[in-house]
Amino acid sequence: MLAWLATWLKQIIAVVLLAGLIDLLLPNKTMQRYVRLVAGLIILLTLLSPIIRLLQGDFDTRLNASFENWLKAPPSKEFKMPTLEDIQRDADALRRKQEAAAAALTEKQLAAAMSEALERGTGLQVMSVSVRLEGDGKTEPASLQGVEVTLDSMEDNGAEVDPGASDHSPGGTDTDSKSAGTSATPDSNKEVQPVEPVDSVSVFVQVDPDDSDDADARQTADKGYSLVDGRTAEVIRRVLNEGWSVPPDLVRVRIATGDGSSTGRAS
Amino acid sequence: MEIIQIVGLGLITTILILVVREQKPMFAFLLAAFTGLFIFLYMIGKIETVISVLEQLADRSGIPSIYLKTILKIIGIAYIAEFGAQIVRDAGQESVASKIEFAGKVLILVMAVPIIGVIVETVIGLLPAGS
C-alpha cells in the first residue's frame, strides 16, 4: 500500500516538474495557454490514475492505443502534394474528356439539325441520324467521318420533294405498296400527308448487281436494319451535301425494318 | 561560452542588415532569416541535453512514456511554429504569421484529444456508480 502510494506520488511530482519545465521551454506567450491546458490535462490524468484504474481496470493500454492511433493517423490521411506529372496527367485527362464532350455535343446537334432538315426537305420519317466526327479539334478541325441516317420503318407516302432530283426510277425495286422509301412519283405538292402507322413492313428488294460493289461492304448492317440505296439515299445525300457539304460516300442510309427479319437494299 | 558567439553573430547580423537594408531590403530579409535558422539549429543540439534529462526523470518516476512523448511533441510544435511565424513576420507578412501560429495552436490542442477522451470516459463511468 505504501509502496503504491509512493509510486503514485512520485509520478505526480515528476509530471508537475515536467509541466514546469515545458513552461520554461516554451518560446512565447501565445502558445502558453494551450500548452498549459494540455499539461494540466496530463497532470489531471496522473492524479486520477488510481481512480481510473479502480473503475476501468487497465487504462494505460487504451490510452496508448488511442495515442498510437492518433500518431499513426496523420501519415495515412496526409495530404499529398501532387507532382507536376500528376497535374499534367490530370489536365490531359480533363482536356480529353472535355474534347470528347464537345465532340459528342457537336455530333448530337449536327445530327439533330440534319434530321430536321431531312424531314423537312424530303418528307421522310427519319428515326435517327448519327454523326461520327474525328480529329482532335486542336491541331485541325474535326472532320466528318460518317453520317448514318436511319429511316423509320413507317414510310410515309408523302411528298417526295427535291424537285431537282434526277428522275430516273431505280431499277428492280419490287416493293410492296408502302415500303422501301420514296416511291418515285414526282407529285409536286409538298405538304406532308398524315401517315397511318404500319405494324410491320416487309421489304422485298432485289439486289441490283450494278451497284453492289460498295454495297457489299455495307451489307454488314445491323440486324433489324437494312441499307437503303438508290433514290432515297440519293435524295438524302443531296440534302446533306447541300446543307453541310457532306461527301456523298460518307452517308450511309439504312431503314429500320419492322421485325428485323427482312434485310435487303432498295436499289 | 556559446552565448558570446551567438550574441556576436546576432550583433554582426544586425549591423549588416542595417547597412544593407537601404540598398537591398531583400538581402536584409534573407540575412535575418538565415541567421535565425542558424541560431535555431545551433540551439537544437543544446535542447537535446534538456530532453535527455527529462527522459531520465520520466523513466525513474515511472510515468508512462506516452506523456513525455506528448509533451515533447508539444514543445517541438511550439518552437517550430514560433520560429516560422517570426521569419514570416520579419518579412512583413503579419497575417501569414498569425496563420502559422494558429496552426501551431490547433496542433497542440489536437494533442490533448486522447487525454480528454480518457478523462471523459472515466467521468462518465463514475456517474452511474455514484447514483
Side-chain angles (χ1 to χ4, degrees):
Chain A
M1 181 65 189
L2 207 62
W4 170 79
L5 202 66
T7 50
W8 184 47
L9 283 177
K10 220 160 57 179
Q11 274 190 14
I12 292 174
I13 291 169
V15 168
V16 171
L17 272 179
L18 215 62
L21 267 178
I22 64 162
D23 233 23
L24 279 182
L25 272 177
L26 273 184
N28 63 349
K29 286 231 186 317
T30 58
M31 299 283 178
Q32 218 159 36
R33 282 183 302 161
Y34 302 90
V35 174
R36 274 185 185 160
L37 172 71
V38 180
L41 280 174
I42 288 178
I43 293 174
L44 187 63
L45 199 63
T46 317
L47 287 176
L48 283 179
S49 63
I51 301 172
I52 299 174
R53 202 162 286 138
L54 201 67
L55 284 178
Q56 303 189 340
D58 186 24
F59 79 100
D60 270 345
T61 55
R62 221 142 38 89
L63 194 62
N64 274 341
S66 62
F67 262 114
E68 290 302 319
N69 252 346
W70 183 83
L71 290 179
K72 243 180 281 170
S76 65
K77 62 183 176 186
E78 191 178 22
F79 176 69
K80 185 173 167 295
M81 195 67 110
T83 60
L84 187 61
E85 287 84 18
D86 289 343
I87 293 173
Q88 281 174 340
R89 208 165 42 232
D90 284 357
D92 276 347
L94 281 177
R95 197 183 314 121
R96 267 198 301 276
K97 209 184 291 176
Q98 194 179 355
E99 279 167 5
L105 189 65
T106 312
E107 286 177 2
K108 217 170 91 183
Q109 287 188 345
L110 212 53
M114 281 181 182
S115 170
E116 192 183 344
L118 281 177
E119 282 188 355
R120 203 181 324 117
T122 65
L124 294 167
Q125 288 274 335
V126 178
M127 195 159 79
S128 69
V129 177
S130 71
V131 180
R132 207 169 74 246
L133 289 175
E134 267 175 26
D136 53 354
K138 193 168 53 178
T139 56
E140 74 239 18
S143 61
L144 207 58
Q145 290 299 312
V147 178
E148 192 176 68
V149 179
T150 307
L151 299 176
D152 206 343
S153 65
M154 300 186 298
E155 293 296 327
D156 59 339
N157 41 9
E160 169 60 40
V161 285
D162 199 24
S166 68
D167 205 6
H168 81 281
S169 70
T173 46
D174 286 340
T175 66
D176 60 356
S177 63
K178 51 177 66 176
S179 70
T182 63
S183 63
T185 58
D187 52 355
S188 58
N189 56 342
K190 298 202 175 191
E191 56 192 20
V192 179
Q193 281 147 13
V195 183
E196 61 269 21
V198 178
D199 286 338
S200 74
V201 177
S202 56
V203 186
F204 300 104
V205 177
Q206 287 183 350
V207 177
D208 202 0
D210 287 339
D211 59 352
S212 66
D213 45 357
D214 66 334
D216 276 338
R218 299 176 182 174
Q219 185 61 39
T220 61
D222 298 333
K223 202 165 162 55
Y225 296 103
S226 56
L227 289 169
V228 175
D229 271 340
R231 174 72 190 243
T232 312
E234 232 170 67
V235 171
I236 287 172
R237 277 172 194 149
R238 186 172 302 122
V239 168
L240 289 181
N241 198 4
E242 283 165 1
W244 289 272
S245 66
V246 181
D249 51 343
L250 289 181
V251 179
R252 188 163 166 245
V253 183
R254 61 181 192 176
I255 183 166
T257 58
D259 46 5
S261 61
S262 69
T263 60
R265 289 164 298 142
S267 63
Chain B
M1 290 298 280
E2 279 133 349
I3 188 65
I4 296 176
Q5 298 173 4
I6 300 289
V7 171
L9 182 70
L11 283 178
I12 292 172
T13 311
T14 310
I15 293 170
L16 283 180
I17 286 174
L18 285 181
V19 169
V20 168
R21 182 180 284 159
E22 301 301 320
Q23 278 81 27
K24 301 272 184 189
M26 187 65 204
F27 283 131
F29 164 68
L30 286 179
L31 206 55
F34 175 77
T35 309
L37 200 65
F38 179 79
I39 294 176
F40 185 71
L41 292 179
Y42 193 62
M43 279 299 116
I44 274 184
K46 305 297 169 198
I47 287 179
E48 192 190 352
T49 58
V50 178
I51 287 173
S52 68
V53 167
L54 288 182
E55 274 174 349
Q56 279 179 11
L57 182 71
D59 255 1
R60 288 174 58 181
S61 64
I63 61 172
S65 68
I66 208 85
Y67 293 176
L68 191 72
K69 242 192 253 175
T70 309
I71 288 174
L72 290 184
K73 270 183 195 299
I74 287 169
I75 295 177
I77 289 173
Y79 266 101
I80 293 171
E82 170 68 16
F83 179 70
Q86 272 180 359
I87 288 183
V88 175
R89 195 172 284 131
D90 276 350
Q93 303 295 320
E94 181 68 33
S95 59
V96 179
S98 65
K99 300 301 181 298
I100 291 178
E101 283 183 347
F102 161 74
K105 288 170 189 172
V106 168
L107 285 178
I108 287 175
L109 281 187
V110 165
M111 287 279 175
V113 165
I115 302 171
I116 291 175
V118 168
I119 290 176
V120 165
E121 273 181 29
T122 309
V123 171
I124 287 176
L126 213 59
L127 284 181
S131 67

